[in-house]
Amino acid sequence: MIAMHERTAEALDPAPSERDRRRPLVATLTLGCKLNQAETQSLARELERAGCTIVDRPVPADGYLINTCTITHVADAKARRLVRMVKRLSPDAPVVVTGCYAERAGEALARETGADVVLGNADKQRAGAALLEALGGTRPLSAGRPARAAPGRTRAFVKIQEGCDDVCAFCIVPRVRGRERGIPIPEVVRAAQAREAAGALEIVLTGTQPGAYGRDRSDGTSAARLLEALLAETALPRIRYSSIQPQDVTPEFLAQWEDARLCRHFHLALQSGRDPVLRRMRRRYDTGAFLRALDWIRAAVPGAAVTTDVIAGFPQETEADFQRTLATCEEAAFADLHVFPYSSRPGTSAALLPDDVPPPVKRERVQTLLALAERSAARYRERLVGTVQPVLFEGRRAHNGRALWQGLTDTYVPVHVPVEASSAELSNRLASVRVDSVSSGAVHGRVLA
Ligand code: F3S
């Protein structure tokens, strides 16, 4: 998902306290995947401990920390635009840029955008310290500033591994993230316990290739063992596994879902529904294996939502290939699809192939897939009408002049409840919601007593 990461609830934030007004205001902004979100949250906590007030949106601020993505040329352009935007918002504020695009572009990014400090992934841990150092000479802005809790208080991202050994033909990630390195189970458990102690009700386990957790070790470490430890050693009501591959779906892994604290949401990237294209992409499964993995998930975890990623217009993708992808997606009955036009990344093996699907054809395929994504999501959500779903509320937002509580089901469906229909404070609370209706962006319902 290449987007400014989802915001929770800010529009109705309270006025800043006197203390907040004296603290430097730092905007921590994330592009890219949940791994980037996990890393930004950890840098934001460091900055908060050092006395900064954190926001996660581009507003006038005393300093900026931007964590970038380079998965497509669009992600690169977004990063450049964001740096320029914050430079316009607060011309004197230092801007530290890190992440995958910073890793790839290096100092050229500073020259092109005016960023003050550029740190690649290897130096990302120093990004907070670099910003604090740059802030040393600034005076905090003072009045009328929206203040809110640092991101991650309700849903905290916990990094479990980094790097990818699979090296798919189209993917730049192994170049900018390196080989797989898992974080040992006790360390992940300690991080989860810290987030629990800080009040988080959900943790999202993230990585470049989270399903391959443990593959770099020979001591029996695996995703299943990690989940067992987290379930045994925390009382977190929700644990979410951010994404897996079909080959990671084993009986031992799925057996963990007997514990209802594990979220019934599985993100498996299909990329293409046609085997010769999957082989050219150097994916490690064919469509038969993919659909079998879905059957196993649905048999083991009733009500599970399965979402996916699809690339439109990979080199040499024919109309017949594309039609097969559409048919596979229909058959898979995904709860949602993320659609990407193929973007040639220098340094990948696919970049050596001619990018030969004409742009108008690519655009048309993207539109067709997006329409399918909308139909699939609507079908999945309509099945929820009349049911009672567990919802974790993250806060309030304003929508079309109405105040709404906003939350997520464990199956990752956004839920809205009108504030006037619930007298209780729902921020950072789990509640049962009866779903009454569905609209394009969310399901709507009421909180049960
Ligand atoms: Fe983007 Fe880097 Fe994640 S390229 S998708 S931020 S690993």
Side-chain angles (χ1 to χ4, degrees):
M1 271 170 278
I2 313 305
M4 275 287 299
H5 87 71
E6 65 227 81
R7 282 174 36 196
T8 49
E10 308 85 6
L12 304 173
D13 281 339
S17 66
E18 274 308 314
R19 186 162 167 268
D20 282 328
R21 285 185 194 144
R22 289 199 306 272
R23 295 153 61 111
L25 185 80
V26 169
T28 56
L29 308 171
T30 314
L31 297 162
C33 62
K34 290 187 169 72
L35 175 59
N36 256 17
Q37 292 181 39
E39 291 167 337
T40 305
Q41 283 188 357
S42 139
L43 290 164
R45 283 194 294 273
E46 180 190 333
L47 289 163
E48 203 180 31
R49 280 195 300 274
C52 302
T53 296
I54 306 297
V55 288
D56 60 356
R57 58 196 186 282
V59 292
D62 300 305
Y64 297 90
L65 192 152
I66 302 180
N67 198 0
T68 59
C69 171
T70 188
I71 197 85
T72 60
H73 66 278
V74 176
D76 294 352
K78 276 188 184 173
R80 290 192 298 267
R81 269 205 308 276
L82 193 55
V83 178
R84 290 190 185 112
M85 180 206 280
V86 300
K87 276 279 164 198
R88 278 196 304 275
L89 281 173
S90 302
D92 298 330
V95 180
V96 174
V97 184
T98 184
C100 297
Y101 184 42
E103 172 77 29
R104 207 168 65 74
E107 282 306 309
L109 180 56
R111 283 195 299 279
E112 222 181 310
T113 61
D116 299 278
V117 181
V118 175
L119 296 170
N121 280 329
D123 295 317
K124 190 178 268 186
Q125 281 176 333
R126 291 204 291 109
L131 184 59
L132 288 171
E133 199 184 318
L135 280 169
T138 69
R139 282 161 52 91
L141 297 178
S142 53
R145 189 57 58 80
R148 62 183 290 260
R153 288 274 155 76
T154 301
R155 278 194 324 131
F157 294 89
V158 172
K159 178 170 161 178
I160 62 170
Q161 66 86 242
E162 179 163 19
C164 180
D165 291 353
D166 280 351
V167 197
C168 297
F170 54 82
C171 187
I172 190 70
V173 169
R175 286 285 292 263
V176 290
R177 290 280 184 176
R179 303 292 304 265
E180 287 171 11
R181 282 107 57 211
I183 296 172
I185 289 177
E187 230 176 279
V188 177
V189 169
R190 276 199 297 280
Q193 288 168 334
R195 306 286 33 95
E196 183 183 2
L201 294 181
E202 176 178 319
I203 57 164
V204 184
L205 303 174
T206 68
T208 312
Q209 186 66 290
Y213 180 76
R215 194 160 69 171
D216 58 322
R217 307 173 77 92
S218 52
D219 58 359
T221 299
S222 67
R225 295 285 86 75
L226 173 67
L227 289 177
E228 265 171 22
L230 287 166
L231 289 167
E233 294 176 48
T234 72
L236 284 155
R238 275 192 177 183
I239 299 174
R240 192 181 293 282
Y241 217 91
S242 64
S243 65
I244 52 171
Q245 302 236 40
Q247 58 271 32
D248 308 323
V249 179
T250 63
E252 198 196 12
F253 182 67
L254 289 175
Q256 306 307 315
W257 267 258
E258 278 172 19
D259 191 317
R261 292 190 289 152
L262 288 180
C263 293
R264 298 168 300 157
H265 173 221
F266 298 81
H267 186 79
L268 277 82
L270 172 66
Q271 307 301 14
S272 168
R274 178 92 159 139
D275 290 341
V277 181
L278 287 174
R279 277 197 294 276
R280 281 204 305 282
M281 289 177 166
R282 290 222 306 267
R283 301 292 284 175
R284 310 290 165 116
Y285 53 85
D286 56 20
T287 47
F290 189 94
L291 293 170
R292 268 195 306 283
L294 294 201
D295 287 344
W296 292 340
I297 289 171
R298 286 173 175 147
V301 187
V306 182
T307 54
T308 200
D309 296 337
V310 180
I311 294 173
F314 187 74
Q316 297 158 27
E317 182 188 71
T318 63
E319 186 55 30
D321 294 336
F322 179 66
Q323 290 303 325
R324 188 66 237 151
T325 295
L326 287 178
T328 306
C329 289
E330 289 281 5
E331 187 181 346
F334 293 116
D336 209 348
L337 286 86
H338 304 136
V339 180
F340 300 89
Y342 171 70
S343 171
S344 175
R345 303 274 70 198
T348 61
S349 61
L352 303 173
L353 302 171
D355 188 1
D356 57 358
V357 177
V361 175
K362 235 187 242 181
R363 277 198 294 277
E364 199 186 313
R365 290 180 187 171
V366 166
Q367 290 311 318
T368 307
L369 280 164
L370 288 174
L372 176 91
E374 200 160 313
R375 285 199 305 279
S376 299
R379 271 199 294 266
Y380 181 81
R381 291 169 188 189
E382 270 151 21
R383 287 210 304 272
L384 302 181
V385 174
T387 67
V388 175
Q389 296 294 319
V391 176
L392 175 56
F393 285 95
E394 296 185 78
R396 302 202 295 183
R397 63 174 296 211
H399 182 66
N400 289 343
R402 284 184 89 192
L404 298 169
W405 292 112
Q406 178 176 271
L408 279 175
T409 64
D410 67 324
T411 50
Y412 212 65
V413 174
V415 177
H416 291 164
V417 170
V419 168
E420 72 262 16
S422 171
S423 52
E425 164 67 44
L426 292 178
S427 280
N428 199 24
R429 271 195 50 199
L430 266 168
S432 296
V433 171
R434 181 175 295 284
V435 177
D436 293 328
S437 62
V438 178
S439 69
S440 61
V443 303
H444 307 266
R446 58 212 138 96
V447 174
L448 300 184

